[in-house]
Amino acid sequence: MASSCSSHLPSSIMTLPTQKHLSSVDAVFGNDDLVTEILLRVPAKAVLKLKLVSKKWLSIISPTSFAILHTRRNPHTVSALLLNFSSFFKEPSKHKYVSLDGKSLVYLSYDFLDFDPNNLGCFSTYVSQSCNGLLLCPKWKWCSTERSKPTDYIFNPTTRQFALLPLPPNDGKYFTRIQLVFDPLESPRYRVVCIQFFNSELKIYVYSSETKDWKLSVKLENFDLLSVNFTDGVSWNGAVHWMSPMGNGLSFLLDMECLQTIPRPPLPENWQGKNFRYFGESGGQLHFIGILAGNQNPDDLNMGIVSPDMSHDQSTDQSIVVYSMERGCSKWFAKYCLHMNAIVMAYPEITGDKDLTASPFSAEKWFDLLSFIEGSDEEGALLVMRTSGEIISYSFKNNILKKILSFPLKHATCYAFNYTETLSCV
């Protein structure tokens, strides 16, 4: 009966809503400026899929100017971790993409880093650094008839775009370290810092993606290499920073082309290098993380008060302390503290014994800090750790421990790189 009644309705009433709807849709999607504003608010991976909607959308999304504007409009928050792990057997290293909430897990194929079709075979490829969505990927070519040659790439895993870095000037005798510097909020261009050292002579070259060339920025004689650890640099605030496990640091200021020392964190007098856990950047801040004895408090540490070891139970009487650097690079301050008791009580098996007092907890042996992520005010800061065959996160805002991923290979090495989606060009 309903169908017979509807047949007597005026045709204008039946078609008018549809016509209004179609006209409004046409008005929106027929306006290129409005479509651009909408697409600028869509996540990077989704934008790439929307290229297939129409030729018009493809023409809007494809230009470099859109990629630059999209990168600036979208905050560079860490959405996931790129895990690289190896079990020391003949199998090559594996990669996994895992979201910070553990809800999304992707087992990446073995050819994940085989992005350059002109340089396949005889190569060992790995990720050495992640910087605001771009990866620094060194490749070593191992052939019996040819000397091993390094090849460095800048790779965007979101867009699968890559750029081959030209080799920096080197006569073959220098110890070399490469560091990527990229802040899309400052510039769409990236720079690469190359550290070279030989017989107390230090050279620093800087490559610009704009000029496509290397420039010698620093040359020093009688430089003490032991004063700093150039192995793992961190890009932050227009400079590259290096820290030793003992807290000694050095910065290279790119625009001023000079080196300067970094203040030492307020570590206790009995601080040992083995207690160092992490040095990195997140949320626009520089962080130094270590293990201190006792149940520490940030306010006390900033006043120079270090809680003594008041307990014979070593399994719980340790704290993870997160130090942050002031923006002017003038001093460190203790920002977060996590008492080991919280981890041990949630995962008592990490002590190797159900009786916590019978088997003292060794942070050096059973605890790996993979990443520290300074989130927004709503999300708070996250500490990502590997312990007892699992990768877990701790929220300093909610005081919640959460399992991200089971990790059954207890003897495998694991490296984590912060993953950020971006349309940034390389």
Side-chain angles (χ1 to χ4, degrees):
M1 295 295 294
S3 60
S4 62
C5 291
S6 62
S7 64
H8 292 86
L9 294 174
S11 60
S12 59
I13 296 179
M14 295 179 64
T15 59
L16 185 58
T18 303
Q19 291 175 347
K20 283 186 175 181
H21 176 69
L22 291 176
S23 62
S24 61
V25 171
D26 291 339
V28 171
F29 290 103
N31 187 322
D32 289 357
D33 292 337
L34 189 54
V35 170
T36 300
E37 285 299 318
I38 294 174
L39 292 176
L40 287 173
R41 290 163 171 78
V42 177
K45 283 188 176 181
V47 168
L48 296 177
K49 295 180 180 179
L50 292 176
K51 283 185 175 183
L52 303 175
V53 171
S54 68
K55 291 183 178 180
K56 178 178 287 187
W57 284 28
L58 176 63
S59 66
I60 293 174
I61 297 171
S62 298
T64 302
S65 57
F66 178 87
I68 294 174
L69 193 56
H70 185 277
T71 302
R72 289 178 177 174
R73 288 280 190 92
N74 293 271
H76 279 63
T77 56
V78 178
S79 58
L81 293 177
L82 179 62
L83 302 177
N84 178 306
F85 61 96
S86 173
S87 58
F88 298 106
F89 296 111
K90 293 182 179 180
E91 292 185 1
S93 297
K94 298 179 181 179
H95 294 87
K96 289 183 180 181
Y97 167 95
V98 58
S99 59
L100 295 178
D101 57 10
K103 295 181 179 179
S104 177
L105 174 64
V106 178
Y107 292 82
L108 302 176
S109 61
Y110 285 113
D111 59 355
F112 165 66
L113 295 177
D114 290 338
F115 43 78
D116 186 356
N118 297 320
N119 279 322
L120 299 177
C122 298
F123 277 89
S124 175
T125 311
Y126 61 98
V127 178
S128 65
Q129 184 196 349
S130 172
C131 188
N132 289 320
L134 300 184
L135 303 179
L136 177 62
C137 298
K139 291 191 175 186
W140 283 86
K141 186 172 184 179
W142 302 98
C143 293
S144 58
T145 59
E146 190 176 357
R147 182 181 176 183
S148 60
K149 293 183 178 181
T151 304
D152 294 292
Y153 287 91
I154 305 299
F155 176 50
N156 184 335
T158 303
T159 63
R160 300 295 295 178
Q161 294 178 342
F162 64 91
L164 175 63
L165 291 177
L167 292 175
N170 193 341
D171 56 12
K173 63 183 180 181
Y174 284 89
F175 158 89
T176 301
R177 284 291 181 269
I178 301 290
Q179 183 71 34
L180 174 63
V181 179
F182 176 56
D183 186 352
L185 298 182
E186 297 293 333
S187 171
R189 308 297 181 182
Y190 60 84
R191 288 177 284 186
V192 181
V193 175
C194 176
I195 301 293
Q196 295 183 354
F197 186 84
F198 179 74
N199 280 353
S200 76
E201 180 183 68
L202 176 70
K203 292 181 181 180
I204 300 180
Y205 287 92
V206 178
Y207 172 85
S208 169
S209 63
E210 185 174 13
T211 64
K212 308 294 183 182
D213 198 11
W214 291 94
K215 175 187 175 183
L216 180 62
S217 294
V218 172
K219 183 177 180 180
L220 298 175
E221 304 286 348
N222 301 319
F223 182 82
D224 181 14
L225 181 63
L226 298 178
S227 62
V228 67
N229 179 15
F230 281 120
T231 301
D232 297 308
V234 175
S235 172
W236 176 72
N237 199 21
V240 178
H241 309 268
W242 298 272
M243 293 287 290
S244 72
M246 288 302 296
N248 302 315
L250 195 66
S251 297
F252 170 62
L253 284 64
L254 279 86
D255 293 337
M256 299 179 64
E257 297 185 338
C258 66
L259 289 168
Q260 69 177 22
T261 57
I262 301 177
R264 190 172 185 266
L267 303 170
E269 295 182 357
N270 61 347
W271 173 262
Q272 298 180 8
K274 66 179 182 179
N275 293 325
F276 166 75
R277 280 297 174 273
Y278 181 82
F279 177 58
E281 180 275 338
S282 180
Q285 298 184 30
L286 194 66
H287 305 288
F288 180 97
I289 303 178
I291 303 292
L292 271 66
N295 187 5
Q296 304 296 337
N297 179 278
D299 294 333
D300 292 340
L301 290 174
N302 290 325
M303 291 188 296
I305 303 174
V306 180
S307 299
D309 186 353
M310 300 298 292
S311 170
H312 295 293
D313 181 8
Q314 299 179 29
S315 64
T316 60
D317 213 30
Q318 294 173 316
S319 296
I320 303 172
V321 180
V322 179
Y323 295 95
S324 292
M325 174 68 79
E326 290 190 346
R327 190 67 181 176
C329 212
S330 58
K331 69 175 183 179
W332 295 90
F333 62 94
K335 191 171 185 178
Y336 304 103
C337 290
L338 170 61
H339 196 204
M340 279 293 185
N341 178 61
I343 303 176
V344 174
M345 295 304 294
Y347 296 90
E349 61 270 20
I350 66 177
T351 63
D353 196 300
K354 294 182 179 180
D355 183 2
L356 299 183
T357 61
S359 180
F361 172 69
S362 172
E364 181 180 3
K365 183 177 180 181
W366 296 108
F367 165 74
D368 289 328
L369 180 53
L370 298 180
S371 183
F372 175 78
I373 301 168
E374 186 73 85
S376 62
D377 293 337
E378 295 181 359
E379 299 173 349
L382 286 179
L383 202 64
V384 183
M385 302 161 281
R386 176 193 172 191
T387 182
S388 185
E390 293 182 344
I391 294 179
I392 60 176
S393 67
Y394 174 79
S395 169
F396 283 98
K397 180 179 181 179
N398 302 319
N399 298 323
I400 294 176
L401 281 163
K402 181 186 298 184
K403 183 177 75 172
I404 295 179
L405 175 69
S406 295
F407 200 85
L409 301 176
K410 294 185 178 182
H411 300 290
T413 58
C414 181
Y415 300 96
F417 302 93
N418 293 345
Y419 183 87
T420 303
E421 290 185 11
T422 181
L423 296 181
S424 298
C425 301
V426 296

